Amino acid sequence: MAEPRTAPEQSAREEGLEFLEPRVHGEGFPMAQVFGYGGSLLLTFGSFFLVTRHLMPPVILLAVILTLAIGQAALQLGVFMHIRESRGPAWQLMPLGLAFFIALGMIGMSIWIMMFKAGVS
Amino acid sequence: MSLPLAQEETGLEPGLPLELADERESIKVTGFWMFLVTDVLIFASLFASYAVYRSRVAQAPGPAQVFHYGPVLLETLLLLTSSFTVGIAIWAMRTGRVRMLFFWLAATLVLGAGFVTSEIHDFTSMVGQGLTWHQSAFLSAFYVLVGTHGAHVTFGIFWAVTLLFQVARRGITPITARKLYTFSLYWHFLDIVWVFIFTFVYLGGKIG
C-alpha cells in the first residue's frame, strides 16, 4: 500500500503512450460547458432546420445531418464527459475507440449486405 | 501541494478530484467506462436493425406519417438541457458546493422525468392509433430502439433519486463523488444516443 507512485503523466510518457495522457478539468466556472450547451442546441436544431427547408438532395442531406450528429457526440464526449480524465493513463480511450469502430462496422455492413435484395423476398 | 504524510494517511492523490484521487474509486470509474463500451454495442446493434428495417413498412404507415415532430423537439430540448445541468452538478460537486449540487441534480431529474413523460405520451398516442409493434418490421425496430433508450433514461432517474438521498445523508465523500461522476457519464452517454435517434430515426424519417 505504501509503495510510492509515479506521477501519472510520467508513466504514460515512459511507455510511449502520450495520447493516453490524462487531462483533468479545472475548478473555474465551466464556461466550456455553457458554450457546449449552446453548441449542442445549435447543431441539433440546425439539422432540424436543414431538413424542414429541403435545401439539399436527400442523400447529401442525410450525410450532412449525420456529420452534425457526430460533431455533437464529439462535443458531448469532450466537453461534458471529460473523456480524458483519469488517475493514470486514460485507458478508457482505447476500448471506446474500438467500440465505435465495431459500432460503425456493424451498422454500415448491415446496411450494405441488405442492399442485395435479389433472391430474398 | 506536496504533503507526503497527509497523502499516505488519506491515500488520496493530490491535485485530482475526489473520485479520481481515491485509488479504489478511480478503478470503479474505469470499470464504468467499460460498461458504457458494452452499451455502445447494444445500441449499435439496435441501430443496425432499425437501418435495415426502416423501409419494411408492410401495410402499416411509414416513418413520414408516424412521427410527431412537436413532442420529439421538446424531448430533444429537455434531454440536451439535462445533459448540461448534470455537467454543472458535477462542477458544483468538485468545488464542494453541496446545495448547488443538490439543486442541479434535482433539475436534471425533473428534466429527465419530463422527457420520459413526453415519450410515454407519444408512444401511447401512437398505439391508440393502432400503430403497435406488431404492425410492421419498421415499427418493431422503432419501438425496440427508442424504447431501450427510454428504459435507460427511466433507470437513470431512479438511480439519481438514490444518489440524492446518499448525498443528503453523507455529503461529498470519495464514494458518493464517484457514484455521481459515473451517473453523469451515463446521462451524457444517453444524450449522445438520443442525438443519433433524433437525427437518424426522426429526421431521417422526414427525409424518407
Side-chain angles (χ1 to χ4, degrees), chain B residues 32-45:
Chain B
F32 196 80
W33 277 109
M34 301 309 126
F35 160 72
L36 289 183
V37 164
T38 63
D39 234 18
V40 168
L41 298 178
I42 288 179
F43 280 107
S45 35

Side-chain angles (χ1 to χ4, degrees), chain B residues 4-204:
Chain B
L5 275 178
Q7 190 188 327
E8 245 168 57
E9 275 166 19
T10 58
L12 296 178
E13 183 95 15
L16 283 174
L18 263 186
E19 65 275 16
L20 299 174
D22 186 287
E23 188 163 23
R24 290 175 63 181
E25 300 309 320
S26 81
I27 291 171
K28 290 173 183 168
V29 171
T30 308
F32 196 80
W33 277 109
M34 301 309 126
F35 160 72
L36 289 183
V37 164
T38 63
D39 234 18
V40 168
L41 298 178
I42 288 179
F43 280 107
S45 35
L46 294 176
F47 269 107
S49 56
Y50 180 80
V52 166
Y53 288 132
R54 72 192 201 117
S55 54
R56 304 293 193 273
V57 295
Q59 320 297 330
Q65 294 97 52
V66 165
F67 297 149
H68 313 288
Y69 288 90
V72 171
L73 284 175
L74 174 69
E75 285 157 26
T76 306
L77 184 64
L78 288 174
L79 211 60
L80 285 177
T81 309
S82 78
S83 189
F84 172 66
T85 55
V86 79
I88 298 294
I90 292 302
W91 171 71
M93 174 187 92
R94 288 190 165 175
T95 48
R97 284 169 244 209
V98 185
R99 292 178 72 97
M100 204 170 158
L101 161 65
F102 218 80
F103 172 79
W104 288 108
L105 192 60
T108 307
L109 266 176
V110 171
L111 290 164
F115 171 87
V116 174
T117 310
S118 170
E119 187 161 79
I120 291 174
H121 184 262
D122 198 25
F123 276 17
T124 47
S125 79
M126 277 172 71
V127 170
Q129 295 163 33
L131 300 166
T132 59
W133 68 0
H134 309 288
Q135 299 299 312
S136 64
F138 152 63
L139 283 170
S140 304
F142 167 78
Y143 279 118
V144 174
L145 170 60
V146 183
T148 303
H149 175 269
H152 272 77
V153 176
T154 310
F155 173 78
I157 291 170
F158 288 115
W159 182 8
V161 170
T162 69
L163 292 181
L164 280 175
F165 281 112
Q166 292 184 27
V167 172
R169 287 191 62 167
R170 297 174 202 159
I172 301 171
T173 67
I175 294 177
T176 54
R178 182 262 304 166
K179 288 179 177 174
L180 288 162
Y181 185 69
T182 48
F183 169 74
S184 83
L185 292 181
Y186 180 78
W187 201 260
H188 294 308
F189 170 73
L190 291 181
D191 192 56
I192 294 179
V193 174
W194 179 258
V195 167
F196 283 101
I197 290 179
F198 176 73
T199 305
F200 189 63
V201 175
Y202 288 106
L203 293 185

